[in-house]
Amino acid sequence: QKEVEQDPGPLSVPEGAIVSLNCTYSNSAFQYFMWYRQYSRKGPELLMYTYSSGNKEDGRFTAQVDKSSKYISLFIRDSQPSDSATYLCAMSAPGGFKTIFGAGTRLFVKA
Amino acid sequence: DAGVIQSPRHEVTEMGQEVTLRCKPISGHDYLFWYRQTMMRGLELLIYFNNNVPIDDSGMPEDRFSAKMPNASFSTLKIQPSEPRDSAVYFCASRGQGLETQYFGPGTRLLVL
């Protein structure tokens, strides 16, 4: 069993839809929970991160962490074609240096 | 700042040849990471440095892989000898104090024939 599980998709939605991306994990030592966005043939870029449990909101993006269920989510409101990319969840133990990535979910937002 | 700079951007080589990938981190960042991304295994951390010192190389797949950071502005990842299964995109990332300061380079696409 992988430490981090993420459905690779692809996920196709119409413009304006709410997108929900999810990951599960098995290592209870993880404290930092990150979401990266990766456009085709580019390096990943950090979208947002949370420490421990709870929610974090940044514009159209909301990250949620449920440590009791070992489940994290990223919600994208009012999705745009420019949101079309691969979204990778990532996690690390305290210190945040040794990061484990999920497989990434490919998202297509249709105009 | 130009961001993290990697060279070459593309590399095609034959099995058995030595490959050297290069990275220039963002000025002032004291952490440098090397990652490998493949379809089968996703994005994996190979090694990371703090203040030019290797801290964790447990992700380096074999002794054929080596990484150095001779100074704060330069790092190399070397594969000798290269094998077809080393074909992947290799990313360098650097980070200052705080996770939000981490940035990835554009990657080097390596194809070993």
Side-chain angles (χ1 to χ4, degrees):
Chain A
Q1 183 189 6
K2 292 182 179 179
E3 279 190 286
V4 179
E5 299 277 0
Q6 182 177 13
D7 186 339
L11 179 62
S12 183
V13 301
E15 182 176 358
I18 296 175
V19 176
S20 173
L21 304 168
N22 312 292
C23 290
T24 59
Y25 64 96
S26 57
N27 188 344
S28 57
F30 288 146
Q31 293 283 353
Y32 289 90
F33 303 92
M34 296 152 271
W35 286 96
Y36 286 82
R37 178 174 62 197
Q38 185 175 21
Y39 290 113
S40 181
R41 306 183 84 84
K42 301 286 189 183
E45 55 178 324
L46 181 65
L47 271 178
M48 53 199 309
Y49 76 95
T50 54
Y51 177 74
S52 194
S53 285
N55 296 354
K56 189 171 185 178
E57 187 173 320
D58 184 2
R60 297 184 295 112
F61 298 87
T62 300
Q64 289 185 352
V65 175
D66 181 348
K67 293 191 72 179
S68 62
S69 302
K70 294 188 174 67
Y71 187 88
I72 71 169
S73 301
L74 177 71
F75 297 95
I76 307 174
R77 292 183 297 280
D78 187 24
S79 57
Q80 303 295 311
S82 58
D83 295 328
S84 298
T86 296
Y87 290 81
L88 302 110
C89 64
M91 308 175 191
S92 65
F97 299 108
K98 195 167 181 178
T99 304
I100 309 297
F101 285 82
T105 299
R106 291 198 69 188
L107 171 67
F108 296 95
V109 181
K110 299 171 293 184
Chain B
D1 201 316
V4 177
I5 299 173
Q6 292 188 245
S7 64
R9 294 293 309 277
H10 302 272
E11 177 83 20
V12 181
T13 191
E14 291 189 345
M15 183 174 63
Q17 296 297 306
E18 178 179 292
V19 175
T20 300
L21 311 181
R22 297 173 176 80
C23 175
K24 177 178 168 55
I26 292 173
S27 177
H29 282 188
D30 43 18
Y31 291 92
L32 184 139
F33 306 81
W34 281 101
Y35 290 90
R36 178 173 68 175
Q37 188 173 38
T38 62
M39 289 293 292
M40 289 295 294
R41 300 178 65 90
L43 190 60
E44 304 172 284
L45 176 65
L46 300 177
I47 185 172
Y48 78 92
F49 295 82
N50 178 217
N51 292 323
N52 313 336
V53 177
I55 303 300
D56 190 329
D57 65 354
S58 59
M60 297 285 264
E62 300 172 33
D63 291 345
R64 299 184 296 106
F65 286 70
S66 62
K68 294 182 180 180
M69 191 165 186
N71 58 62
S73 59
F74 184 66
S75 177
T76 59
L77 178 68
K78 187 174 292 187
I79 308 172
Q80 166 64 20
S82 58
E83 297 183 3
R85 59 194 168 117
D86 302 331
S87 298
V89 182
Y90 290 82
F91 289 103
C92 175
S94 72
R95 174 180 159 179
Q97 295 302 317
L99 187 55
E100 67 278 3
T101 66
Q102 179 161 318
Y103 292 92
F104 279 76
T108 294
R109 292 184 171 271
L110 173 64
L111 178 61
V112 183
L113 301 173

